[in-house]
Amino acid sequence: MNSAQNAPIPPKLMPNMALKQRNTFGFEVYAELAYEISAAEQIPGLMQQISEKKLPWRVLGGGSNVILPRVLSGVTLLMNIPGHDITQSNANHTVITVGAGVNWHDFVAWTLVQNLPGLENLALIPGTVGAAPIQNIGAYGAEIADYIDSIEAFDSVAHAFVTLSKEACHFAYRDSYFKQNPHRYIVTKVAFKIPQAWKPRLQYADLVKQFSDTDPTPSAQEIFDAVCAIRSKKLPDPKVIGNAGSFFQNPIISEAQYKHLIEQHPKLISYPEGVGKRKLAAGWLIDQCGFKGQRIGPVGVYENQALVLVNHGDGTAENILQLAKSIQVKVQEVFGVELEIEPNIF
Ligand code: FAD
Ligand code: NAP
Protein backbone atom coordinates (compact mmCIF):
# COMPACT_ATOMS: atom_id res chain seq x y z
CA MET A 1 0.00 0.00 0.00
CA ASN A 2 1.45 3.43 -0.88
CA SER A 3 1.27 6.50 1.35
CA ALA A 4 -1.57 8.06 -0.68
CA GLN A 5 -3.74 5.03 0.12
CA ASN A 6 -2.94 5.46 3.84
CA ALA A 7 -3.79 9.17 3.92
CA PRO A 8 -7.01 10.01 5.79
CA ILE A 9 -9.93 11.55 3.91
CA PRO A 10 -9.37 15.31 4.30
CA PRO A 11 -11.84 17.06 6.63
CA LYS A 12 -14.72 18.77 4.85
CA LEU A 13 -14.20 22.55 4.60
CA MET A 14 -17.21 24.85 4.83
CA PRO A 15 -16.14 28.50 4.28
CA ASN A 16 -18.23 31.26 5.88
CA MET A 17 -20.46 28.76 7.59
CA ALA A 18 -23.52 30.04 9.46
CA LEU A 19 -23.56 28.64 13.03
CA LYS A 20 -26.96 29.91 14.23
CA GLN A 21 -28.11 26.28 14.39
CA ARG A 22 -24.90 25.20 16.10
CA ASN A 23 -25.03 27.43 19.18
CA THR A 24 -27.97 26.98 21.53
CA PHE A 25 -28.17 30.73 22.26
CA GLY A 26 -29.14 30.97 18.58
CA PHE A 27 -26.79 33.91 17.94
CA GLU A 28 -26.20 34.88 14.30
CA VAL A 29 -22.63 33.68 13.96
CA TYR A 30 -20.32 32.88 11.04
CA ALA A 31 -17.20 30.76 11.04
CA GLU A 32 -14.60 31.90 8.48
CA LEU A 33 -13.26 28.38 7.92
CA ALA A 34 -15.27 25.55 9.44
CA TYR A 35 -13.92 21.99 9.12
CA GLU A 36 -16.05 18.98 9.88
CA ILE A 37 -13.89 16.48 11.76
CA SER A 38 -15.29 13.00 11.24
CA ALA A 39 -12.13 10.99 12.10
CA ALA A 40 -9.26 11.62 14.54
CA GLU A 41 -6.71 10.99 11.74
CA GLN A 42 -7.84 14.21 10.04
CA ILE A 43 -6.57 16.32 12.92
CA PRO A 44 -2.71 16.22 12.77
CA GLY A 45 -2.49 17.44 9.14
CA LEU A 46 -5.04 20.21 9.73
CA MET A 47 -3.34 21.34 12.95
CA GLN A 48 0.01 21.40 11.10
CA GLN A 49 -1.47 23.81 8.51
CA ILE A 50 -3.08 25.94 11.23
CA SER A 51 0.24 26.15 13.05
CA GLU A 52 2.22 27.02 9.90
CA LYS A 53 -0.28 29.74 8.93
CA LYS A 54 -0.53 30.95 12.55
CA LEU A 55 -4.33 30.91 12.36
CA PRO A 56 -6.55 31.22 15.44
CA TRP A 57 -8.59 28.04 16.05
CA ARG A 58 -11.12 26.53 18.41
CA VAL A 59 -13.24 23.41 18.82
CA LEU A 60 -17.02 23.31 18.73
CA GLY A 61 -19.26 20.41 19.76
CA GLY A 62 -23.00 21.05 19.94
CA GLY A 63 -22.53 24.71 20.92
CA SER A 64 -24.61 24.37 24.12
CA ASN A 65 -22.01 25.85 26.46
CA VAL A 66 -20.49 28.69 24.45
CA ILE A 67 -20.97 32.40 23.92
CA LEU A 68 -19.91 33.13 20.35
CA PRO A 69 -19.01 36.48 18.74
CA ARG A 70 -20.54 37.46 15.38
CA VAL A 71 -17.50 36.18 13.44
CA LEU A 72 -15.23 33.30 14.39
CA SER A 73 -12.01 34.13 12.57
CA GLY A 74 -9.51 31.47 11.49
CA VAL A 75 -10.47 27.82 11.86
CA THR A 76 -13.38 26.23 13.72
CA LEU A 77 -13.26 22.46 14.14
CA LEU A 78 -16.76 20.94 14.21
CA MET A 79 -16.46 17.66 16.09
CA ASN A 80 -18.46 14.90 14.41
CA ILE A 81 -16.39 11.79 15.24
CA PRO A 82 -18.94 8.94 15.53
CA GLY A 83 -19.03 5.47 17.08
CA HIS A 84 -19.16 3.55 20.31
CA ASP A 85 -17.67 0.17 21.24
CA ILE A 86 -17.77 -2.03 24.31
CA THR A 87 -14.05 -2.73 24.72
CA GLN A 88 -14.07 -4.63 28.01
CA SER A 89 -16.69 -6.36 30.12
CA ASN A 90 -16.18 -8.39 33.28
CA ALA A 91 -17.92 -9.09 36.59
CA ASN A 92 -16.97 -5.66 37.97
CA HIS A 93 -17.39 -3.19 35.13
CA THR A 94 -17.88 -2.47 31.44
CA VAL A 95 -15.62 -0.15 29.45
CA ILE A 96 -17.14 1.69 26.48
CA THR A 97 -15.16 3.94 24.11
CA VAL A 98 -17.18 6.65 22.43
CA GLY A 99 -16.39 9.10 19.60
CA ALA A 100 -16.25 12.78 20.56
CA GLY A 101 -19.03 13.75 18.15
CA VAL A 102 -21.65 11.36 19.53
CA ASN A 103 -24.69 13.09 21.04
CA TRP A 104 -24.47 12.82 24.85
CA HIS A 105 -28.14 12.12 25.52
CA ASP A 106 -28.29 9.45 22.79
CA PHE A 107 -25.29 7.76 24.38
CA VAL A 108 -26.93 7.78 27.84
CA ALA A 109 -30.11 6.28 26.34
CA TRP A 110 -28.02 3.60 24.56
CA THR A 111 -26.28 2.56 27.82
CA LEU A 112 -29.66 1.83 29.37
CA VAL A 113 -30.73 -0.26 26.38
CA GLN A 114 -27.48 -2.24 26.92
CA ASN A 115 -28.50 -2.71 30.58
CA LEU A 116 -25.59 -0.57 31.81
CA PRO A 117 -27.16 1.77 34.38
CA GLY A 118 -25.26 4.68 35.95
CA LEU A 119 -25.59 7.70 33.67
CA GLU A 120 -29.39 8.12 33.96
CA ASN A 121 -29.24 11.25 36.18
CA LEU A 122 -27.30 12.94 33.35
CA ALA A 123 -30.07 12.42 30.77
CA LEU A 124 -31.11 15.22 28.41
CA ILE A 125 -27.94 17.31 28.86
CA PRO A 126 -27.38 18.77 25.38
CA GLY A 127 -24.13 18.50 23.45
CA THR A 128 -21.49 15.96 22.54
CA VAL A 129 -19.57 13.25 24.37
CA GLY A 130 -16.26 15.02 23.59
CA ALA A 131 -17.34 18.22 25.33
CA ALA A 132 -18.83 16.50 28.38
CA PRO A 133 -15.50 16.09 30.26
CA ILE A 134 -14.48 19.72 29.62
CA GLN A 135 -16.67 21.05 32.44
CA ASN A 136 -17.24 17.62 34.02
CA ILE A 137 -20.97 17.80 33.32
CA GLY A 138 -23.20 17.14 36.28
CA ALA A 139 -26.85 16.98 37.28
CA TYR A 140 -28.98 15.57 40.10
CA GLY A 141 -25.99 14.53 42.21
CA ALA A 142 -24.07 12.72 39.44
CA GLU A 143 -21.09 13.86 37.40
CA ILE A 144 -19.35 12.38 34.41
CA ALA A 145 -15.99 12.13 36.25
CA ASP A 146 -17.44 9.20 38.25
CA TYR A 147 -17.61 7.17 35.03
CA ILE A 148 -14.51 8.19 33.08
CA ASP A 149 -11.72 5.70 32.53
CA SER A 150 -9.47 7.70 30.17
CA ILE A 151 -9.59 10.28 27.40
CA GLU A 152 -7.88 10.34 24.02
CA ALA A 153 -7.03 13.77 22.71
CA PHE A 154 -4.78 15.58 20.26
CA ASP A 155 -2.34 17.77 22.18
CA SER A 156 -1.70 20.85 20.04
CA VAL A 157 1.44 21.73 22.03
CA ALA A 158 3.12 18.32 21.67
CA HIS A 159 1.50 17.91 18.24
CA ALA A 160 0.64 14.32 19.10
CA PHE A 161 -2.22 12.16 20.32
CA VAL A 162 -2.20 11.52 24.08
CA THR A 163 -4.21 9.33 26.44
CA LEU A 164 -5.05 10.96 29.75
CA SER A 165 -6.02 8.81 32.71
CA LYS A 166 -8.97 9.93 34.82
CA GLU A 167 -6.51 11.22 37.46
CA ALA A 168 -4.65 13.31 34.84
CA CYS A 169 -7.94 15.03 33.94
CA HIS A 170 -8.05 16.74 37.40
CA PHE A 171 -11.83 16.69 37.52
CA ALA A 172 -13.51 18.99 40.04
CA TYR A 173 -16.93 20.65 40.40
CA ARG A 174 -17.77 21.69 36.79
CA ASP A 175 -14.05 21.83 36.07
CA SER A 176 -11.21 19.81 34.51
CA TYR A 177 -7.63 19.99 33.28
CA PHE A 178 -9.05 20.70 29.78
CA LYS A 179 -11.02 23.69 31.03
CA GLN A 180 -7.92 24.93 32.84
CA ASN A 181 -5.89 24.63 29.61
CA PRO A 182 -8.18 26.03 26.92
CA HIS A 183 -7.23 25.73 23.23
CA ARG A 184 -4.71 22.99 23.86
CA TYR A 185 -6.48 19.61 23.62
CA ILE A 186 -8.92 18.27 21.06
CA VAL A 187 -10.80 15.37 22.65
CA THR A 188 -11.34 12.61 20.08
CA LYS A 189 -12.55 9.66 22.16
CA VAL A 190 -13.79 9.10 25.72
CA ALA A 191 -13.53 5.74 27.50
CA PHE A 192 -16.22 5.21 30.15
CA LYS A 193 -16.02 2.64 32.93
CA ILE A 194 -19.50 1.67 34.14
CA PRO A 195 -19.50 -0.43 37.33
CA GLN A 196 -21.82 -3.45 37.43
CA ALA A 197 -22.92 -2.45 40.95
CA TRP A 198 -25.66 0.20 40.76
CA LYS A 199 -27.84 2.10 43.15
CA PRO A 200 -30.25 4.96 42.42
CA ARG A 201 -29.31 8.54 43.35
CA LEU A 202 -32.51 10.29 44.37
CA GLN A 203 -31.37 12.97 46.82
CA TYR A 204 -32.46 16.01 44.76
CA ALA A 205 -35.89 17.34 45.77
CA ASP A 206 -37.46 16.94 42.30
CA LEU A 207 -36.54 13.24 42.25
CA VAL A 208 -37.56 12.73 45.89
CA LYS A 209 -40.95 14.22 44.99
CA GLN A 210 -41.25 11.96 41.97
CA PHE A 211 -40.46 8.64 43.65
CA SER A 212 -40.62 8.65 47.47
CA ASP A 213 -44.36 7.95 47.79
CA THR A 214 -45.05 5.95 44.67
CA ASP A 215 -41.90 3.93 44.06
CA PRO A 216 -38.97 4.14 46.49
CA THR A 217 -36.84 1.76 44.35
CA PRO A 218 -37.17 2.93 40.75
CA SER A 219 -35.19 1.37 37.90
CA ALA A 220 -32.51 3.33 36.03
CA GLN A 221 -34.91 3.63 33.09
CA GLU A 222 -37.60 5.12 35.36
CA ILE A 223 -35.08 7.66 36.70
CA PHE A 224 -33.99 8.48 33.14
CA ASP A 225 -37.65 9.06 32.15
CA ALA A 226 -38.26 11.19 35.26
CA VAL A 227 -35.15 13.33 34.68
CA CYS A 228 -36.23 13.89 31.05
CA ALA A 229 -39.76 14.87 32.13
CA ILE A 230 -38.57 17.23 34.92
CA ARG A 231 -36.00 18.93 32.71
CA SER A 232 -38.43 19.34 29.81
CA LYS A 233 -40.87 21.09 32.15
CA LYS A 234 -38.34 23.27 33.98
CA LEU A 235 -35.80 24.32 31.35
CA PRO A 236 -36.32 26.34 28.18
CA ASP A 237 -35.90 24.28 25.00
CA PRO A 238 -33.07 25.94 23.03
CA LYS A 239 -34.98 25.20 19.80
CA VAL A 240 -37.72 27.52 21.08
CA ILE A 241 -35.81 30.03 23.20
CA GLY A 242 -32.03 30.45 22.98
CA ASN A 243 -30.02 29.61 26.12
CA ALA A 244 -26.91 27.80 27.34
CA GLY A 245 -28.39 26.21 30.47
CA SER A 246 -27.04 27.56 33.76
CA PHE A 247 -25.26 30.81 33.01
CA PHE A 248 -23.34 31.02 36.30
CA GLN A 249 -21.64 28.38 38.39
CA ASN A 250 -22.91 27.78 41.89
CA PRO A 251 -20.36 29.62 44.07
CA ILE A 252 -18.39 27.56 46.58
CA ILE A 253 -17.60 29.57 49.71
CA SER A 254 -15.83 28.96 53.02
CA GLU A 255 -17.75 27.87 56.12
CA ALA A 256 -16.77 31.20 57.76
CA GLN A 257 -18.26 33.26 54.91
CA TYR A 258 -21.33 31.02 54.98
CA LYS A 259 -21.89 31.61 58.73
CA HIS A 260 -21.68 35.37 58.17
CA LEU A 261 -24.11 35.22 55.20
CA ILE A 262 -26.74 33.00 56.84
CA GLU A 263 -26.99 35.44 59.75
CA GLN A 264 -27.92 38.20 57.30
CA HIS A 265 -30.00 36.00 54.97
CA PRO A 266 -31.62 33.18 57.00
CA LYS A 267 -33.35 31.73 53.90
CA LEU A 268 -30.06 31.34 52.00
CA ILE A 269 -30.03 28.03 50.04
CA SER A 270 -26.79 26.10 50.36
CA TYR A 271 -25.36 22.58 50.45
CA PRO A 272 -22.19 21.15 52.05
CA GLU A 273 -19.43 20.82 49.43
CA GLY A 274 -16.37 18.95 50.62
CA VAL A 275 -14.65 19.69 53.90
CA GLY A 276 -15.26 23.19 55.35
CA LYS A 277 -17.00 24.50 52.20
CA ARG A 278 -20.57 25.36 51.17
CA LYS A 279 -22.15 25.53 47.72
CA LEU A 280 -24.69 28.32 47.24
CA ALA A 281 -27.60 28.03 44.80
CA ALA A 282 -26.69 30.82 42.35
CA GLY A 283 -30.25 30.87 40.95
CA TRP A 284 -31.63 31.78 44.39
CA LEU A 285 -29.12 34.66 44.78
CA ILE A 286 -30.12 36.07 41.37
CA ASP A 287 -33.82 35.63 42.11
CA GLN A 288 -33.44 37.54 45.42
CA CYS A 289 -31.92 40.45 43.48
CA GLY A 290 -35.14 40.69 41.44
CA PHE A 291 -33.82 39.58 38.04
CA LYS A 292 -36.08 36.58 37.39
CA GLY A 293 -38.21 37.16 34.28
CA GLN A 294 -36.56 40.52 33.53
CA ARG A 295 -36.02 41.41 29.90
CA ILE A 296 -33.36 43.81 28.68
CA GLY A 297 -33.70 44.42 24.94
CA PRO A 298 -33.48 41.10 23.10
CA VAL A 299 -32.14 39.11 26.08
CA GLY A 300 -33.33 38.32 29.58
CA VAL A 301 -33.49 36.08 32.63
CA TYR A 302 -35.74 33.03 32.22
CA GLU A 303 -39.04 33.41 34.07
CA ASN A 304 -38.97 29.93 35.65
CA GLN A 305 -35.27 29.67 36.51
CA ALA A 306 -33.14 32.73 37.30
CA LEU A 307 -29.90 30.88 36.57
CA VAL A 308 -30.73 30.65 32.87
CA LEU A 309 -30.17 33.69 30.65
CA VAL A 310 -32.10 33.66 27.41
CA ASN A 311 -32.01 35.13 23.92
CA HIS A 312 -35.52 36.15 22.91
CA GLY A 313 -34.59 36.64 19.27
CA ASP A 314 -31.95 38.94 17.89
CA GLY A 315 -29.62 39.01 20.88
CA THR A 316 -25.84 38.95 20.64
CA ALA A 317 -22.94 37.91 22.84
CA GLU A 318 -22.54 41.59 23.83
CA ASN A 319 -26.18 41.79 25.00
CA ILE A 320 -25.86 38.64 27.11
CA LEU A 321 -22.52 39.66 28.63
CA GLN A 322 -23.89 43.11 29.50
CA LEU A 323 -26.87 41.52 31.30
CA ALA A 324 -24.52 39.06 33.03
CA LYS A 325 -22.36 41.94 34.24
CA SER A 326 -25.30 43.74 35.83
CA ILE A 327 -26.32 40.51 37.61
CA GLN A 328 -22.76 39.95 38.85
CA VAL A 329 -22.52 43.51 40.17
CA LYS A 330 -25.85 43.31 42.02
CA VAL A 331 -25.18 39.87 43.56
CA GLN A 332 -21.76 41.09 44.73
CA GLU A 333 -23.36 44.19 46.23
CA VAL A 334 -26.16 42.30 48.06
CA PHE A 335 -24.39 39.07 49.08
CA GLY A 336 -20.67 39.83 48.67
CA VAL A 337 -20.41 36.75 46.45
CA GLU A 338 -18.73 36.56 43.06
CA LEU A 339 -20.63 34.79 40.29
CA GLU A 340 -18.49 33.09 37.66
CA ILE A 341 -19.80 32.66 34.12
CA GLU A 342 -20.13 28.96 33.22
CA PRO A 343 -20.28 28.90 29.38
CA ASN A 344 -17.05 29.37 27.45
CA ILE A 345 -16.64 32.84 25.95
CA PHE A 346 -14.96 32.75 22.50
P1 FAD B 1 -19.77 23.18 23.15
O1 FAD B 1 -20.72 24.17 23.71
O2 FAD B 1 -19.68 23.07 21.68
O3 FAD B 1 -18.32 23.46 23.75
C1 FAD B 1 -18.16 23.70 25.11
C2 FAD B 1 -16.64 23.82 25.40
O4 FAD B 1 -16.00 22.57 25.17
C3 FAD B 1 -15.93 24.81 24.46
O5 FAD B 1 -14.88 25.42 25.18
C4 FAD B 1 -15.36 23.93 23.36
O6 FAD B 1 -14.20 24.47 22.76
C5 FAD B 1 -15.00 22.69 24.16
N1 FAD B 1 -15.09 21.46 23.37
C6 FAD B 1 -16.18 20.95 22.74
N2 FAD B 1 -15.88 19.77 22.17
C7 FAD B 1 -14.57 19.55 22.44
C8 FAD B 1 -13.65 18.51 22.09
N3 FAD B 1 -14.03 17.44 21.39
N4 FAD B 1 -12.36 18.62 22.51
C9 FAD B 1 -11.96 19.70 23.23
N5 FAD B 1 -12.77 20.70 23.59
C10 FAD B 1 -14.06 20.63 23.19
N6 FAD B 1 -24.20 21.22 31.70
C11 FAD B 1 -24.09 20.47 32.82
O7 FAD B 1 -22.98 20.24 33.32
N7 FAD B 1 -25.20 19.96 33.43
C12 FAD B 1 -26.45 20.15 32.94
O8 FAD B 1 -27.41 19.65 33.51
C13 FAD B 1 -26.59 20.96 31.78
N8 FAD B 1 -27.81 21.25 31.28
C14 FAD B 1 -27.94 22.06 30.20
C15 FAD B 1 -29.23 22.37 29.73
C16 FAD B 1 -29.40 23.18 28.63
C17 FAD B 1 -30.80 23.50 28.15
C18 FAD B 1 -28.26 23.70 27.96
C19 FAD B 1 -28.44 24.56 26.74
C20 FAD B 1 -26.98 23.42 28.42
C21 FAD B 1 -26.80 22.59 29.54
N9 FAD B 1 -25.53 22.29 30.06
C22 FAD B 1 -25.41 21.49 31.17
C23 FAD B 1 -24.32 22.81 29.42
C24 FAD B 1 -23.83 21.97 28.19
O9 FAD B 1 -24.88 21.22 27.65
C25 FAD B 1 -22.68 21.02 28.55
O10 FAD B 1 -21.59 21.74 29.06
C26 FAD B 1 -22.22 20.20 27.34
O11 FAD B 1 -21.26 19.24 27.73
C27 FAD B 1 -21.63 21.05 26.21
O12 FAD B 1 -21.49 20.22 25.08
P2 FAD B 1 -21.33 20.82 23.61
O13 FAD B 1 -20.98 19.70 22.70
O14 FAD B 1 -22.52 21.60 23.24
O15 FAD B 1 -20.06 21.76 23.79
P1 NAP C 1 -32.52 22.34 41.64
O1 NAP C 1 -32.80 20.88 41.82
O2 NAP C 1 -33.66 23.29 41.68
O3 NAP C 1 -31.40 22.78 42.66
C1 NAP C 1 -30.92 24.13 42.67
C2 NAP C 1 -29.42 24.08 42.96
O4 NAP C 1 -29.21 23.51 44.23
C3 NAP C 1 -28.70 23.22 41.95
O5 NAP C 1 -27.85 24.05 41.23
C4 NAP C 1 -27.99 22.13 42.73
O6 NAP C 1 -26.58 22.13 42.58
C5 NAP C 1 -28.27 22.45 44.18
N1 NAP C 1 -28.87 21.27 44.85
C6 NAP C 1 -30.17 20.92 44.92
N2 NAP C 1 -30.33 19.81 45.66
C7 NAP C 1 -29.10 19.44 46.07
C8 NAP C 1 -28.62 18.37 46.85
N3 NAP C 1 -29.44 17.46 47.38
N4 NAP C 1 -27.29 18.29 47.07
C9 NAP C 1 -26.44 19.19 46.55
N5 NAP C 1 -26.84 20.23 45.77
C10 NAP C 1 -28.16 20.36 45.55
O7 NAP C 1 -31.75 22.55 40.23
P2 NAP C 1 -32.31 22.64 38.76
O8 NAP C 1 -32.07 24.00 38.24
O9 NAP C 1 -33.68 22.04 38.67
O10 NAP C 1 -31.29 21.65 38.01
C11 NAP C 1 -31.33 20.28 38.31
C12 NAP C 1 -29.96 19.67 38.03
O11 NAP C 1 -29.62 19.85 36.66
C13 NAP C 1 -28.85 20.33 38.84
O12 NAP C 1 -27.92 19.35 39.23
C14 NAP C 1 -28.21 21.30 37.86
O13 NAP C 1 -26.82 21.47 38.06
C15 NAP C 1 -28.43 20.58 36.53
N6 NAP C 1 -28.52 21.58 35.44
C16 NAP C 1 -27.37 22.14 35.00
C17 NAP C 1 -27.38 23.06 33.96
C18 NAP C 1 -26.09 23.64 33.43
O14 NAP C 1 -26.11 24.26 32.38
N7 NAP C 1 -24.97 23.48 34.09
C19 NAP C 1 -28.60 23.44 33.39
C20 NAP C 1 -29.76 22.87 33.90
C21 NAP C 1 -29.73 21.93 34.92
P3 NAP C 1 -25.79 21.44 41.36
O15 NAP C 1 -26.00 22.37 40.22
O16 NAP C 1 -24.40 21.39 41.85
O17 NAP C 1 -26.39 20.10 41.13
Side-chain angles (χ1 to χ4, degrees), residues 64-65 121-126 135 137-143 173-174 202-208 227 230-231 234-236 243-250 252 269-273 279-284 304-308 342-343:
S64 64
N65 209 25
N121 289 39
L122 303 172
L124 220 59
I125 298 180
Q135 77 157 12
I137 57 167
Y140 299 101
E143 55 181 27
Y173 181 64
R174 304 294 190 268
L202 303 171
Q203 68 268 37
Y204 275 45
D206 282 341
L207 291 177
V208 172
V227 167
I230 295 162
R231 291 180 70 107
K234 221 169 169 181
L235 291 166
N243 74 93
S246 304
F247 197 86
F248 299 101
Q249 286 196 9
N250 287 329
I252 315 277
I269 298 181
S270 78
Y271 300 88
E273 180 71 28
K279 176 179 77 180
L280 304 182
W284 186 86
N304 299 330
Q305 164 57 290
L307 196 49
V308 179
E342 184 175 285

Side-chain angles (χ1 to χ4, degrees), residues 2-286:
N2 62 35
S3 61
Q5 280 170 310
N6 283 331
I9 299 164
K12 190 171 158 200
L13 168 63
M14 290 151 293
N16 294 319
M17 188 188 181
L19 295 179
K20 189 177 166 72
Q21 306 297 333
R22 198 145 174 165
N23 78 104
T24 57
F25 262 123
F27 294 148
E28 292 278 0
V29 174
Y30 289 86
E32 268 183 3
L33 300 167
Y35 284 91
E36 186 182 311
I37 304 295
S38 53
E41 298 72 40
Q42 296 170 331
I43 295 173
L46 181 59
M47 292 307 288
Q48 184 65 36
Q49 288 177 39
I50 289 171
S51 159
E52 282 164 8
K53 293 181 184 159
K54 296 191 168 45
L55 292 173
W57 65 277
R58 82 284 306 157
V59 185
L60 199 60
S64 64
N65 209 25
V66 287
I67 302 168
L68 303 180
R70 201 166 283 280
V71 178
L72 286 169
S73 61
V75 173
T76 301
L77 280 71
L78 303 176
M79 298 306 288
N80 283 342
I81 299 173
H84 40 59
D85 268 325
I86 293 181
T87 49
Q88 199 189 94
S89 188
N90 60 35
N92 299 321
H93 60 250
T94 301
V95 177
I96 315 165
T97 55
V98 190
V102 170
N103 176 275
W104 170 259
H105 174 75
D106 291 349
F107 168 59
V108 175
W110 177 84
T111 58
L112 296 185
V113 172
Q114 303 301 311
N115 198 21
L116 297 170
L119 301 176
E120 56 283 347
N121 289 39
L122 303 172
L124 220 59
I125 298 180
T128 54
V129 165
I134 308 300
Q135 77 157 12
N136 180 19
I137 57 167
Y140 299 101
E143 55 181 27
I144 190 182
D146 299 337
Y147 298 93
I148 291 212
D149 186 43
S150 65
I151 290 185
E152 275 183 40
F154 184 80
D155 179 353
S156 66
V157 173
H159 201 81
F161 284 102
V162 291
T163 302
L164 286 95
S165 66
K166 174 181 169 170
E167 291 66 35
C169 296
H170 297 172
F171 289 118
Y173 181 64
R174 304 294 190 268
D175 200 11
S176 72
Y177 183 67
F178 305 105
K179 195 165 176 182
Q180 296 300 326
N181 291 275
H183 308 298
R184 174 165 177 178
Y185 294 98
I186 303 167
V187 173
T188 54
K189 207 188 263 181
V190 181
F192 294 90
K193 194 176 196 172
I194 315 281
Q196 298 297 346
W198 175 82
K199 67 174 193 299
R201 276 156 306 181
L202 303 171
Q203 68 268 37
Y204 275 45
D206 282 341
L207 291 177
V208 172
K209 222 184 297 165
Q210 186 82 20
F211 291 112
S212 58
D213 297 337
T214 50
D215 180 8
T217 52
S219 68
Q221 186 63 50
E222 284 170 326
I223 298 170
F224 174 93
D225 292 341
V227 167
C228 291
I230 295 162
R231 291 180 70 107
S232 303
K233 223 170 168 185
K234 221 169 169 181
L235 291 166
D237 177 355
K239 289 196 189 90
V240 180
I241 179 163
N243 74 93
S246 304
F247 197 86
F248 299 101
Q249 286 196 9
N250 287 329
I252 315 277
I253 62 170
S254 68
E255 202 65 42
Q257 190 181 2
Y258 167 71
K259 278 191 180 135
H260 176 69
L261 263 180
I262 195 86
E263 273 171 25
Q264 295 172 309
H265 307 277
K267 290 187 176 161
L268 185 74
I269 298 181
S270 78
Y271 300 88
E273 180 71 28
V275 182
K277 300 236 166 92
R278 297 293 291 195
K279 176 179 77 180
L280 304 182
W284 186 86
L285 301 175
I286 298 167

